[in-house]
Amino acid sequence: MGRQPHGAAPETGGAADFAPRLLAWFDGHGRHDLPWQHPRTPYRVWLSEIMLQQTQVATVTGYFERFVAALPELPALASASQEQVLALWSGLGYYARARNLHAAAKACVERHGGELPRDLDALVALPGIGRSTAAAILSQAWGDRHAILDGNVKRVLARYHGVDGWPGTPKVEKKLWAFAEAHVASPALPDDRLPDYTQAQMDLGATLCTRANPACLLCPLHTDCVAHREGRAGELPTPRPGKTLPQREAQVLWLEDAQGRILLQQRPPAGIWAALWTLPQADDEAQARQWLERTTTAAPAAGASLPAIAHAFSHYRLTLHPRRWHGVALRDRVGDNDGLRWVARGELRSLGIPAPIRRLLES
DNA sequence: AATGCGGGGAT
DNA sequence: ATCCCAGCATT
């Protein structure tokens, strides 16, 4: 979409002003000191974008600092162990991101000379990088002209253009992509300002055009914003259809040996908490007793019950019922192939452990 | 087109 | 207690 031929058309005149107004606001009010902006290398931008998927900035910053301190460049990540990568990710959630990141780094060493490719399709071909993440990397690290469409931009554009419908549906998402592409193609967006433009959209969405209580009167776009004009900023974007989450229970077995080491078990490579280390888990008390008798010397009835732990996932709720035994040994015929491992307390921080289990063990 | 996949911040 | 966040992969 180019400039209007003469003057500003009443309905769409705001569209040509989108980028300039956003940039002017960004220069004075945007975030210019996020950790991945200094230096803004492709590797650091990539890592930040992956960590920021479905995760807020305040949660990410500490993880980002620790990760780049341990693995400062792409080749270091490629040659790191999966164990180290998962340990650095431990507590951040969505662990497939870490496995994909690791695999993508190896692919870059194999196929791209140890660097991220400066090409949208080549980036999207890497595991864990979709269209929006690829565009964010290219625009922020290289200044290339690509549109992003993350949660912030979806919210800003749904309001600015008055787009109805939940953005999770392909139909609505397609509309939003079209608007995002139109704005980034505007001649009013200077060639040298793509990194700032991309950051500015996310900053606006994160600081002013927030989900609840948007600060419309401070917004540089509010005079052209359809939602604001119609008093619907509070209703857009349309919320996701509600659903009641299923409830599940699990028994958690906290076993310590004579030296106070803790028995951990590595979870299967797929599913929830894939490949992470957790306390042995059973679906109910009967299965817990059976597993204890078959695998350990622990007397099932001797376990001390601990307070239940409520943990919410995005798709179900889990109530964990922990019990604890001391002075336990494994039975002779239990091999190493069960993914079982005695772990000293000091060793816990070097392993990928789900957040609620880590909290329990450190309580 | 729908679902699986964490954890925490905001209200 | 509820929603959803700098999404992507899989089915």
Side-chain angles (χ1 to χ4, degrees):
Chain A
M1 183 182 295
R3 295 173 192 276
Q4 299 299 321
H6 40 266
E11 280 305 306
T12 59
D17 288 335
F18 186 90
R21 291 189 183 190
L22 191 55
L23 284 169
W25 170 82
F26 174 78
D27 290 339
H29 304 283
R31 295 176 293 186
H32 301 269
D33 292 302
L34 296 170
W36 40 92
Q37 295 175 322
H38 309 286
R40 193 157 55 186
T41 66
Y43 172 67
R44 291 164 62 91
V45 170
W46 170 43
L47 176 62
S48 74
E49 288 299 328
I50 301 301
M51 287 187 166
L52 287 161
Q53 287 170 0
Q54 300 293 290
T55 312
Q56 296 179 351
V57 168
T59 303
V60 163
T61 50
Y63 286 89
F64 178 86
E65 300 279 20
R66 287 190 292 276
F67 201 103
V68 291
L71 304 171
E73 292 176 353
L74 190 152
L77 169 58
S79 58
S81 67
Q82 188 196 43
E83 185 147 303
Q84 184 184 12
V85 174
L86 286 177
L88 289 165
W89 210 270
S90 182
L92 194 54
Y94 281 160
Y95 299 94
R97 294 184 295 175
R99 295 194 305 275
N100 286 335
L101 183 81
H102 196 198
K106 291 178 179 175
C108 287
V109 168
E110 286 282 318
R111 308 204 292 262
H112 302 296
E115 295 182 5
L116 281 170
R118 185 176 171 175
D119 177 81
L120 192 74
D121 292 329
L123 284 172
V124 170
L126 294 169
I129 300 181
R131 179 176 171 187
S132 186
T133 297
I137 294 169
L138 291 174
S139 63
Q140 293 199 268
W142 297 103
D144 294 342
R145 194 175 285 263
H146 294 282
I148 64 165
L149 189 65
D150 60 16
N152 286 310
V153 180
K154 284 177 180 172
R155 191 167 54 252
V156 169
L157 294 181
R159 286 174 174 160
Y160 185 79
H161 294 286
V163 177
D164 283 291
W166 178 49
T169 67
K171 181 182 166 188
V172 175
E173 190 174 7
K174 190 177 173 185
K175 278 188 195 174
L176 295 172
W177 266 117
F179 283 122
E181 297 280 10
H183 290 309
V184 84
S186 166
L189 171 55
D191 282 331
D192 62 351
R193 299 225 57 189
L194 267 298
D196 289 343
Y197 173 74
T198 296
Q199 187 63 45
Q201 296 174 84
M202 300 190 284
D203 288 358
L204 186 76
T207 63
L208 293 188
C209 196
T210 50
R211 182 168 66 88
N213 305 319
C216 296
L217 297 185
L218 298 177
C219 178
L221 304 175
H222 83 274
T223 55
D224 296 318
C225 177
V226 171
H228 178 254
R229 197 164 60 220
E230 300 179 352
R232 296 202 300 146
E235 319 171 2
L236 293 178
T238 307
R240 163 198 289 270
K243 58 183 188 311
T244 59
L245 299 181
Q247 170 74 40
R248 302 184 195 175
E249 315 269 337
Q251 307 293 317
V252 168
L253 311 176
W254 182 347
L255 305 175
E256 293 188 20
D257 68 5
Q259 296 101 57
R261 295 181 305 176
I262 300 165
L263 187 63
L264 295 187
Q265 186 168 36
Q266 190 169 30
R267 295 186 58 88
I272 200 77
W273 293 335
L276 268 62
W277 290 87
T278 65
L279 292 172
Q281 204 170 303
D283 290 339
D284 52 46
E285 288 196 43
Q287 294 201 20
R289 188 181 68 243
Q290 195 176 37
W291 186 88
L292 278 171
E293 288 171 343
R294 198 176 60 234
T295 314
T296 76
T297 62
S305 289
L306 298 169
I309 298 168
H311 190 70
F313 296 99
S314 50
H315 47 307
Y316 64 91
R317 299 179 200 287
L318 180 64
T319 304
L320 298 171
H321 301 279
R323 277 182 295 159
R324 187 173 184 180
W325 288 260
H326 295 277
V328 176
L330 291 179
R331 297 203 178 281
D332 291 339
R333 52 190 186 71
V334 175
D336 295 334
N337 54 350
D338 296 327
L340 291 171
R341 175 168 158 186
W342 290 107
V343 176
R345 283 192 166 274
E347 203 183 345
L348 291 177
R349 60 179 173 73
S350 69
L351 294 175
I353 299 172
I357 302 299
R358 187 181 293 282
R359 269 197 299 273
L360 173 65
L361 293 176
E362 290 173 353
S363 65

